Amino acid sequence: MKRILHLIVKVFIPVALAGAILWWMYRGFEWGEVNRALRSDMRWSWMLWSLPFGVLAQVFRALRWRQALEPMGEHPRRHTAICAIFLSYASSLVIPRVGEILRCGVLRQYDRTNFGRSVGTVVCERVVDTVLMLLLTAVTIVWQIPVFLRFMETTGVSLSGILHGFTPTGYAVTAMCGLAALALVTWILAKLHVLERTRQMVKDMLDGLLSIRQVRHKWLFLLYSVGIWVAYYLHFYLTFFCFDFTENLGPMAALVAFVVGSFAVLVPTPNGAGPWHFAVKTVLVLYGVAGVSAAMFVLVVHTIQTLLVLLLGLYALAALAFVKPRR
């Protein structure tokens, strides 16, 4: 019974939440428009240009992870670390957030890397990413305040008018996303409480968490960290040139959508499906894109980028089958 409840919490609820949000967004949607856009209106060359940056972001994350493990005497092979990252993202499509633990298990199995230290470095990475994301968010908000003010002045839209424009269903979806994020934080804290029972595990995790202080070539660690987010941004921004209704929005509009979407994926659904669609579509509408066009954009972009994550995961599975574990 306990395993069934665990499965429901980890798999069914995130999938149901994503499905509910997507159903609400695309009810009554003209699916023929998507088919027509994919066949004639969409510029596939820009989509193809964007895909390598999605791969590059994950490669940067693997290289940074290896660098964080080195001060503790852990030296996983580069290709194994890259495959572990690919597999972690793909596995999170099935069970949200499971990839962070899975990638540590991959290094443990193939390179005999200490599991606790690996988990600690993952936490350390998340702290660095959070700081960078908050800085990027602050800069974006400050930079775009004049744009929002001019938009409201020229269109006669006030903040209260925007809030009144939300339907009861919109408020319900927003509340559901907030509750899901709160549930994720509670689950993480509970997991940490369980891990505290094993002193050695906690010690190894602390060693991993503090590994950043002893990293050699800290400038390279910072370069990888910035490179991850730059690559993710380009992975998203280049897709704007695939459609006529987004190609002229500019890099700052893409940055706002990117930041908002990055926070939306914190809601534990497979690859952020549902919350990401809702958040990015809202930003595009704010910048003047028609609701139907914005909905089509987020659907096409998210689907193709999710397929890329899946293909990388399948590659990692195939590649690891030929990797000889270390003794």
Side-chain angles (χ1 to χ4, degrees):
M1 185 63 181
K2 186 177 180 180
R3 290 185 177 180
I4 295 177
L5 291 175
H6 215 225
L7 185 65
I8 291 175
V9 171
K10 282 190 171 182
V11 180
F12 178 74
I13 292 180
V15 172
L17 177 61
I21 297 174
L22 291 174
W23 173 84
W24 171 72
M25 286 185 59
Y26 293 100
R27 66 193 190 284
F29 191 74
E30 292 292 337
W31 295 102
E33 291 293 323
V34 178
N35 186 41
R36 181 182 59 80
L38 293 177
R39 288 187 174 184
S40 57
D41 297 341
M42 183 175 172
R43 305 183 188 96
W44 281 97
S45 58
W46 283 104
M47 183 63 71
L48 294 177
W49 276 111
S50 74
L51 296 181
F53 290 101
V55 180
L56 187 62
Q58 296 191 35
V59 171
F60 280 159
R61 189 174 293 281
L63 297 177
R64 186 183 67 172
W65 191 24
R66 290 183 71 248
Q67 194 179 7
L69 285 166
E70 285 179 357
M72 296 173 294
E74 306 290 350
H75 301 281
R77 288 166 286 186
R78 183 181 293 107
H79 183 252
T80 308
I82 292 174
C83 287
I85 293 295
F86 287 170
L87 199 57
S88 71
Y89 277 87
S91 63
S92 294
L93 297 178
V94 181
I95 304 178
R97 309 296 179 238
V98 75
E100 305 294 7
I101 302 300
L102 178 63
R103 62 161 156 156
C104 299
V106 171
L107 288 195
R108 171 63 181 172
Q109 178 179 352
Y110 289 93
D111 284 342
R112 296 295 182 261
T113 303
N114 183 283
F115 184 80
R117 291 174 181 173
S118 297
V119 173
T121 55
V122 170
V123 176
C124 176
E125 281 187 307
R126 288 309 179 198
V127 172
V128 174
D129 287 337
T130 300
V131 172
L132 289 176
M133 197 63 213
L134 291 176
L135 289 174
L136 180 61
T137 301
V139 171
T140 303
I141 292 175
V142 172
W143 203 341
Q144 286 294 281
I145 283 179
V147 176
F148 286 126
L149 292 178
R150 286 199 304 271
F151 174 82
M152 293 179 181
E153 181 181 354
T154 56
T155 60
V157 178
S158 63
L159 181 60
S160 60
I162 294 176
L163 294 177
H164 285 305
F166 273 80
T167 63
T169 309
Y171 282 115
V173 170
T174 304
M176 289 172 62
C177 293
L179 291 175
L182 181 61
L184 172 63
V185 173
T186 304
W187 178 79
I188 292 175
L189 293 177
K191 288 296 181 183
L192 290 177
H193 178 70
V194 172
L195 289 175
E196 286 175 357
R197 299 175 185 175
T198 308
R199 292 185 178 181
Q200 185 60 41
M201 177 68 77
V202 174
K203 181 181 180 301
D204 291 337
M205 287 183 61
L206 289 176
D207 290 342
L209 182 59
L210 299 176
S211 64
I212 190 174
R213 299 184 305 174
Q214 303 171 356
V215 167
R216 293 186 302 169
H217 309 300
K218 291 182 173 59
W219 62 268
L220 183 60
F221 186 90
L222 179 61
L223 186 63
Y224 283 146
S225 300
V226 174
I228 290 169
W229 290 102
V230 171
Y232 273 135
Y233 170 71
L234 292 175
H235 182 44
F236 175 68
Y237 174 52
L238 291 179
T239 62
F240 274 43
F241 296 96
C242 294
F243 301 96
D244 293 335
F245 49 81
T246 52
E247 64 175 347
N248 296 319
L249 292 182
M252 286 308 301
L255 183 60
V256 173
F258 174 74
V259 168
V260 173
S262 298
F263 281 101
V265 298
L266 296 178
V267 180
T269 60
N271 203 31
W276 187 89
H277 293 72
F278 178 73
V280 175
K281 175 196 171 184
T282 302
V283 173
L284 294 180
V285 171
L286 178 66
Y287 277 89
V289 179
V292 174
S293 298
M296 181 175 66
F297 173 86
V298 296
L299 178 65
V300 172
V301 170
H302 187 272
T303 300
I304 293 176
Q305 292 184 349
T306 300
L307 287 175
L308 174 64
V309 172
L310 179 61
L311 289 175
L312 292 177
L314 293 175
Y315 162 80
L317 277 177
L320 289 173
F322 297 95
V323 174
K324 185 177 181 180
R326 286 178 175 172
R327 291 189 176 182

